[in-house]
Amino acid sequence: MPVRPKVSIGMPVYNREPYIRAVLDAVLGQTYTDFELIISDNASTDKTEAICREYAARDSRIRYVRNATNLGLAGNYNSVFRQAVGEYFRWVAGDDLCAPESLAACVEVLDRQPDVVLCYPKTGIIDAEGNYQGRYDDNLHLIDERPSERFIRAFRQIGLVNIHFGLMRTRILAQTCLYHPGPGGDYAFIYELALYGKFVEIPRELFYRRLHAGSSWMISKTSVKAIQEYLDPGRAGHNWYWWPLYGQFVGACMRPPLPLMERLRALSFLVRFMVSSRDVLMFELVHSQRRQKVVPVSLSGQK
């Protein structure tokens, strides 16, 4: 019977031929080696499959799975998580990079602090060619004791959602909504996870987010239709953004097992924010049939 690895790394990929070798080399070069790597290929049409199979043939820690059809980004992220068996879990995109000690540093924190549900390192931004563009401050070191306070701080401080590439506890992750197939589903996922436990930031730059024309962040700057098709091709074609997004946020408050006052405090904050956003909500109701641009801002107003 195979030994259960401590860490499961899920790599959802789709047409990442230009980047996938560098990503696989970075993952397999981690100083912490007790992991399985599950590659979920979303029916790629380039050489991604051949490259992944080549690596799987020479490293027994890799399990390559090819989807028969494109599940969309959200479906593929959720699918690869459901195949994980490790105590801890981490998503790795098919174009981002990480330093060799990144995984070891995160494992050490989760081993030592049982109330931490997510650990992530500081982020550096790279471009399509891998050129360093500078540090990005995620600002989500959330160690407040009150779940509602972690929820509120995450809501106010989130920008680029880099921390979903941190290391998480598998059993906690399994209780969340995972990735909702609508735009902004990664925000809702992080807000919900914050209600389950603390987030710890490692004060070292060990993760490198690649921003390029085909990345989800850049696609989200075009239109609701474009990002919806990227997330879930089966739901493409509508222009709703803000109302479904707030629905996800309410769901994030309702699922975790919270004391009543903590749940009410988080919901009260959401209601106040919705009131302050009434203009955009009313605009979407009136103009929902028109083509709208997604404005991918964090809810604190950061771009």
Side-chain angles (χ1 to χ4, degrees):
M1 184 175 183
V3 177
R4 179 187 180 190
K6 186 154 193 177
V7 175
S8 292
I9 300 174
M11 184 185 293
V13 297
Y14 176 69
N15 285 355
R16 286 296 185 252
E17 179 184 346
Y19 315 114
I20 193 67
R21 287 187 184 276
V23 176
L24 288 168
D25 288 341
V27 173
L28 299 176
Q30 292 297 298
T31 58
Y32 186 91
T33 60
D34 184 16
F35 65 82
E36 63 169 353
L37 172 59
I38 310 159
I39 303 173
S40 182
D41 186 349
N42 226 0
S44 292
T45 57
D46 63 1
K47 295 181 180 178
T48 295
E49 177 181 7
I51 295 169
C52 291
R53 289 191 183 279
E54 171 194 330
Y55 274 76
R58 60 181 198 242
D59 195 313
S60 61
R61 293 175 296 177
I62 300 176
R63 180 154 42 104
Y64 174 81
V65 179
R66 181 177 173 85
N67 301 325
T69 59
N70 187 337
L71 306 177
L73 182 142
N76 204 20
Y77 269 66
N78 294 342
S79 175
V80 76
F81 168 71
R82 294 188 179 106
Q83 300 174 63
V85 299
E87 179 182 354
Y88 304 147
F89 180 83
R90 176 182 186 176
W91 278 300
V92 173
D95 45 12
D96 299 330
L97 300 175
C98 53
E101 63 271 31
S102 175
L103 187 57
C106 292
V107 168
E108 192 276 330
V109 170
L110 292 189
D111 280 350
R112 179 167 40 88
Q113 302 184 55
D115 57 348
V116 174
V117 298
L118 184 152
C119 179
Y120 72 96
K122 283 188 173 294
T123 299
I125 301 296
I126 58 177
D127 64 14
E129 288 71 41
N131 300 310
Y132 183 76
Q133 302 297 300
R135 175 172 289 183
Y136 183 85
D137 186 5
D138 293 291
N139 197 28
L140 288 169
H141 182 73
L142 307 177
I143 57 173
D144 307 87
E145 293 297 332
R146 296 188 68 177
S148 61
E149 189 61 29
R150 296 192 300 266
F151 176 89
I152 292 168
R153 286 188 56 208
F155 200 100
R156 287 174 169 164
Q157 295 168 199
I158 201 166
L160 278 174
V161 191
N162 299 314
I163 70 165
H164 68 282
F165 295 116
L167 188 67
M168 296 163 275
R169 296 188 188 276
T170 305
R171 64 177 179 82
I172 299 297
L173 195 54
Q175 299 175 55
T176 70
C177 65
L178 297 178
Y179 266 73
H180 190 278
D186 47 357
Y187 286 118
F189 164 69
I190 293 299
Y191 301 157
E192 182 176 352
L193 193 61
L195 290 168
Y196 281 97
K198 299 175 181 178
F199 294 179
V200 166
E201 179 182 84
I202 295 170
R204 287 185 287 159
E205 191 177 292
L206 302 174
F207 171 70
Y208 300 94
R209 178 83 180 266
R210 193 188 303 266
L211 297 183
H212 57 93
S215 63
S216 59
W217 180 254
M218 300 304 290
I219 291 172
S220 74
K221 290 187 172 186
T222 57
S223 69
V224 175
K225 181 178 179 181
I227 189 62
Q228 181 64 76
E229 185 172 1
Y230 186 73
L231 292 168
D232 182 3
R235 297 178 73 245
H238 68 77
N239 290 321
W240 290 91
Y241 178 67
W242 290 107
W243 282 98
L245 188 59
Y246 277 113
Q248 294 176 50
F249 296 163
V250 171
C253 291
M254 298 305 294
R255 275 181 292 268
L258 296 173
L260 178 59
M261 293 309 296
E262 287 296 293
R263 194 185 312 279
L264 289 176
R265 186 168 185 256
L267 286 170
S268 176
F269 171 82
L270 272 183
V271 169
R272 293 195 303 273
F273 200 91
M274 289 182 72
V275 170
S276 70
S277 306
R278 58 188 177 275
D279 290 346
V280 71
L281 292 171
M282 288 304 299
F283 181 87
E284 186 166 84
L285 279 177
V286 174
H287 300 278
S288 61
Q289 299 308 310
R290 299 179 184 178
R291 184 181 298 274
Q292 299 174 28
K293 295 197 72 176
V294 174
V295 183
V297 298
S298 80
L299 300 177
S300 62
Q302 299 176 19
K303 294 294 193 295

